[in-house]
Amino acid sequence: MALWKLEYYSWALESYNCALEIEPRNAIAWINKGNVLSSLGQQDEALLCYDQALEIDPLMARAWYNEGDELGQRNRVIEARARFENAYNLGLFQAQEMIARCKQILIDLLQKSVKQIQFWGDEAHSCTNQL
């Protein structure tokens, strides 16, 4: 983990790959490998690592949280919120802030959609009045 925090991503990735060759059912190593891959911009691979960690240990709150973070960055807010809720329910209380953030994003999107519908409804009404 120190290599990742020092931003030596390629070395960190190599060390996690070695660790997983020795102990492939190490959920923490899978999470850390996912973190490195995310830092390298390889989000699909990062998600696979978090999934692998959760397959090994479905009670791993950090894996749920990190997966929610990746999904949130892709604007998959509903899926992200579900992951953050899992993390929170497993005792990772910092996930509560992310749950609230997802909720606000969904509210904002809904309000924007309603405004667009109202606009197009007004436009349609205006067009029919001109006929």
Side-chain angles (χ1 to χ4, degrees), residues 71-82:
L71 292 168
Q73 291 178 39
R74 296 166 178 225
N75 294 321
R76 293 167 57 182
V77 182
I78 294 171
E79 294 169 274
R81 182 176 177 192

Side-chain angles (χ1 to χ4, degrees), residues 31-47:
I31 292 170
N32 290 336
K33 180 179 177 179
N35 293 341
V36 172
L37 290 167
S38 178
S39 296
L40 289 168
Q42 299 176 28
Q43 285 78 19
D44 290 335
E45 292 84 355
L47 281 172

Side-chain angles (χ1 to χ4, degrees), residues 61-109:
R62 178 53 62 182
W64 286 111
Y65 184 93
N66 291 5
E67 192 169 79
D69 193 37
E70 285 296 332
L71 292 168
Q73 291 178 39
R74 296 166 178 225
N75 294 321
R76 293 167 57 182
V77 182
I78 294 171
E79 294 169 274
R81 182 176 177 192
R83 299 325 189 270
F84 290 132
E85 287 174 348
N86 285 344
Y88 180 80
N89 291 334
L90 290 168
L92 190 61
F93 298 118
Q94 74 187 63
Q96 186 173 20
E97 178 185 335
M98 299 303 283
I99 293 167
R101 190 177 298 171
C102 288
K103 182 179 179 181
Q104 188 58 53
I105 290 169
L106 291 170
I107 289 169
D108 293 346
L109 288 171

